[in-house]
Amino acid sequence: MQFAKHLRQIGDEFRHQYLDSDDQKDKTSMLDDWRKVQTKHGQAVGGPYVAVHLRRQDFLYGHKVDVPSLNRTAEQIQPILDKYKVKKLFVATDAPVEEFEELKFYLPGAVRYVPSDDVLAKYGDGGVAIIDQWICAHAKYFIGTSVSTFSFRIQEEREILGFDPETTFNRLCGDEQKTCEQPAKWTIRY
């Protein structure tokens, strides 16, 4: 499966404009047919930002143990920003605006993709989700939400692009979890 080119282009424009990221600098260039490329782990370096998929809404009820508060989310992300010496954080989330603004209080470098009315009308929520996934896939480091197929798809894309599994297969821990089981590393075997 490959994301639609027009949605990737929107994501690429956002990366360039807000995250100082492009395929050449990030070493994430691909052929149009990704099946003809065999990348190596660590080949891709990613843009100068960390990305997080922060699921909220129904996950706050259905997966309460695994979904951290916004404060705990920031406590987990700040050390990663420090480790990789980046200030920018891309957040793919279904959180309401108020929650995102609270997260920005803790992590001032946080940005999110907000589609124009035209993009939303033309591509719908599904298209916007793909744009978010594409932007997340190009980060220097990605951290996802437990048991989320959205996060899994980002991890899969990062594998195709050639990122190191240590910067790909990560997830946020819930408030009551000092440590939590990280996702299985489903790596590509050529």
Side-chain angles (χ1 to χ4, degrees):
M1 178 169 79
Q2 189 170 22
F3 293 132
K5 189 171 188 171
H6 57 280
L7 298 175
R8 294 189 323 243
Q9 287 174 333
I10 294 169
D12 288 343
E13 289 168 12
F14 183 91
R15 287 171 47 219
H16 178 73
Q17 185 172 355
Y18 296 100
L19 299 168
D20 192 29
S21 170
D22 66 53
D23 286 339
Q24 206 167 28
K25 287 189 286 189
D26 303 350
K27 299 186 179 175
T28 53
S29 296
M30 293 293 290
L31 298 175
D32 283 338
D33 187 349
W34 65 270
R35 296 169 298 180
K36 295 180 179 174
V37 177
Q38 292 187 9
T39 57
K40 294 183 171 94
H41 287 136
Q43 174 180 320
V45 296
Y49 64 99
V50 167
V52 62
H53 170 224
L54 178 61
R55 185 71 189 268
R56 306 297 287 164
Q57 305 284 342
D58 60 321
F59 264 51
L60 289 172
Y61 307 102
H63 300 280
K64 191 175 187 173
V65 172
D66 294 318
V67 178
S69 63
L70 298 173
N71 183 47
R72 175 85 168 107
T73 298
E75 288 173 357
Q76 293 176 68
I77 292 173
Q78 188 60 58
I80 297 165
L81 293 168
D82 294 342
K83 178 180 178 178
Y84 289 94
K85 296 177 174 59
V86 297
K87 296 190 183 312
K88 295 178 184 175
L89 172 69
F90 178 76
V91 183
T93 186
D94 60 348
V97 172
E98 301 80 28
E99 285 190 15
F100 181 71
E101 291 303 317
E102 181 182 342
L103 183 66
K104 280 182 65 172
F105 173 78
Y106 300 119
L107 299 165
V111 296
R112 76 192 292 188
Y113 174 73
V114 178
S116 67
D117 291 341
D118 289 342
V119 168
L120 189 56
K122 191 170 184 177
Y123 303 119
D125 290 337
V128 172
I130 289 170
I131 295 165
D132 271 346
Q133 288 174 320
W134 185 250
I135 298 166
C136 283
H138 288 79
K140 187 173 289 295
Y141 187 97
F142 172 71
I143 185 166
T145 295
S146 178
V147 302
S148 166
T149 54
F150 187 97
S151 288
F152 174 78
R153 183 62 191 97
I154 294 164
Q155 292 162 345
E156 184 177 57
E157 190 66 31
R158 288 175 63 83
E159 263 295 292
I160 292 167
L161 290 168
F163 281 93
D164 186 313
E166 298 304 314
T167 67
T168 295
F169 296 97
N170 307 287
R171 77 167 181 97
L172 295 167
C173 300
D175 284 0
E176 304 302 318
Q177 302 167 322
K178 297 237 188 272
T179 60
C180 57
E181 184 177 354
Q182 295 301 303
K185 293 182 172 111
W186 293 86
T187 58
I188 295 173
R189 301 282 183 229
Y190 294 106

